[in-house]
């Protein structure tokens, strides 16, 4: 089945017509409210907090955050669609709004937010918007910026719809590489209503293993690729083909264009004279 992110960038797909249709759908409103409440439950905030709403759209999730039922939180929303943000302004939502592409980073000072949520947004990062940027680079910039913007001990919950297991792995490993403790929680598995939540925490008092932040959560699959990455780094010889390929991958994660790998990669040239 075709997905919107396969064909168009989010700011183009969500034009005035689509943004209005999305916001006025009672079905979408109910689903967004349910997932936002679930995200707040996973954040487990004990008092009103300063929250970043990533991919806030027209403010459907933000309305829950600022309501008394949702915890009366103060929030800032960022979204790439001018049409979505225009509707949010028309609806007079309580949060501050920013037009920004999360694939270019999260442009806030370090330690600004107590927590963050994202509802149905981060899967858009898995699609390249142009030939100069890669999904790996966009994911890296996003998670690095999000990690920096959260306070120590802060938590983020991102609900998303991965296209396949490869996208799920790509997103989760990018979060781990940025420094987050990460856990995947799936509600209603093996049903058409299943929802996937990525639970992230920024260090703090959780001990030396940052993945312990999800201890006690039922049905959470902990992803920790750090030991594997460290082992791989220790066995790669500098200048070898594996070392060159790894450097290329690092450049791609930064959003840079590199030459494709071939059978000649890493091969030493013979002296002509």
């Amino acid at each position: 089945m075709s997905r919107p992110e396969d064909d168009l960038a989010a700011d183009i797909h969500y034009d005035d017509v689509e943004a209005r249709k999305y916001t006025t759908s009672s079905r979408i409103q109910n689903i967004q409210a349910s997932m936002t409440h679930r995200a707040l439950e996973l954040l487990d905030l004990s008092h009103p907090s300063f929250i970043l709403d990533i991919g806030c759209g027209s403010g459907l999730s933000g309305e829950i955050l600022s309501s008394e039922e949702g915890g009366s939180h103060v929030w800032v929303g960022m979204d790439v669609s001018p049409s979505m943000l225009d509707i949010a302004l028309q609806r007079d939502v309580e949060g501050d709004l920013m037009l920004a592409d999360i694939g270019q980073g999260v442009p806030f000072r370090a330690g600004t937010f107590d927590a963050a949520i994202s509802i149905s947004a981060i899967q858009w990062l898995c699609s390249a918007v142009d030939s100069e940027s890669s999904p790996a680079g966009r994911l890296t910039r996003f998670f690095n910026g999000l990690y920096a913007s959260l306070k120590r001990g802060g938590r983020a919950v991102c609900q998303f719809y991965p296209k396949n297991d490869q996208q799920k792995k790509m997103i989760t490993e990018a979060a781990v590489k940025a420094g987050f403790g990460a856990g995947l929680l799936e509600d209603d598995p093996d049903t058409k209503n299943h929802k996937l939540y990525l639970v992230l925490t920024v260090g703090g008092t959780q001990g030396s293993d940052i993945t312990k932040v999800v201890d006690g959560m039922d049905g959470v699959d902990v992803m920790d690729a750090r030991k594997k990455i460290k082992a791989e780094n220790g066995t790669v010889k500098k200048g070898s083909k594996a070392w060159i390929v790894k450097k290329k991958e690092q450049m791609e994660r930064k959003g840079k264009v590199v030459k494709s790998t071939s059978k000649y990669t890493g091969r030493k040239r013979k002296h002509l004279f």
Side-chain angles (χ1 to χ4, degrees):
M1 181 182 295
S2 177
R3 295 157 60 103
E5 58 266 32
D6 292 337
D7 302 318
L8 297 171
D11 55 333
I12 298 175
H13 173 75
Y14 287 111
D15 56 13
D16 291 346
V17 174
E18 285 296 324
R20 180 66 60 183
K21 187 190 302 183
Y22 187 93
T23 306
T24 56
S25 167
S26 58
R27 174 178 170 275
I28 294 294
Q29 291 173 8
N30 290 334
I31 292 174
Q32 287 284 103
S34 174
M35 292 190 296
T36 304
H37 281 298
R38 181 58 164 146
L40 282 170
E41 180 184 348
L42 294 172
L43 284 178
D44 193 27
L45 300 169
S46 59
H47 52 78
S49 303
F50 191 30
I51 299 178
L52 175 63
D53 187 352
I54 302 154
C56 64
S58 55
L60 295 178
S61 51
E63 283 184 328
I64 304 296
L65 295 179
S66 52
S67 68
E68 185 174 344
E69 181 186 0
S72 302
H73 302 291
V74 176
W75 58 279
V76 171
M78 56 186 300
D79 200 278
V80 73
S81 168
S83 297
M84 280 289 203
L85 294 178
D86 184 52
I87 293 177
L89 289 172
Q90 294 175 32
R91 298 174 69 241
D92 197 25
V93 297
E94 293 188 25
D96 291 325
L97 304 172
M98 172 182 285
L99 177 64
D101 177 7
I102 62 174
Q104 299 303 316
V106 180
F108 296 97
R109 287 197 299 181
T112 296
F113 297 99
D114 300 308
I117 69 163
S118 181
I119 306 297
S120 309
I122 63 173
Q123 70 268 8
W124 288 86
L125 292 170
C126 293
S127 300
V129 294
D130 55 54
S131 60
E132 297 298 319
S133 60
S134 67
R138 290 171 60 75
L139 285 166
T140 296
R141 286 189 291 271
F142 166 64
F143 282 115
N144 284 347
L146 178 60
Y147 186 91
S149 71
L150 291 170
K151 294 180 179 178
R152 293 288 294 175
R155 181 174 290 189
V157 175
C158 302
Q159 181 277 325
F160 68 108
Y161 294 107
K163 184 177 181 179
N164 48 42
D165 287 341
Q166 182 181 359
Q167 281 194 0
K168 185 192 301 184
K169 181 180 179 182
M170 186 189 310
I171 289 172
T172 308
E173 288 189 350
V176 170
K177 288 178 182 178
F180 284 107
L184 279 173
L185 175 65
E186 188 171 10
D187 285 348
D188 302 318
D190 302 321
T191 72
K192 65 178 182 179
N193 296 318
H194 73 278
K195 300 290 186 298
L196 194 65
Y197 297 84
L198 181 62
V199 183
L200 306 170
T201 297
V202 181
T205 59
Q206 304 297 334
S208 58
D209 182 359
I210 59 175
T211 59
K212 289 181 180 178
V213 298
V214 292
D215 277 356
M217 289 187 185
D218 293 334
V220 177
D221 181 19
V222 175
M223 311 292 289
D224 188 356
R226 292 168 297 158
K227 292 182 179 179
K228 180 180 177 182
I229 294 168
K230 184 176 180 181
E232 288 177 350
N233 287 342
T235 58
V236 175
K237 182 180 178 182
K238 186 175 181 180
S240 66
K241 183 173 182 177
W243 183 84
I244 293 172
V245 170
K246 187 169 185 62
K247 286 296 181 181
K248 286 184 177 182
E249 291 174 351
Q250 291 174 349
M251 297 290 279
E252 287 179 342
R253 286 197 294 270
K254 294 178 181 178
K256 298 183 179 180
V257 179
V258 298
K259 292 182 178 180
S260 59
T261 301
S262 72
K263 64 180 181 179
Y264 300 108
T265 300
R267 183 178 295 182
K268 294 186 179 297
R269 297 177 181 269
K270 293 182 179 179
H271 294 293
L272 296 179
F273 302 103

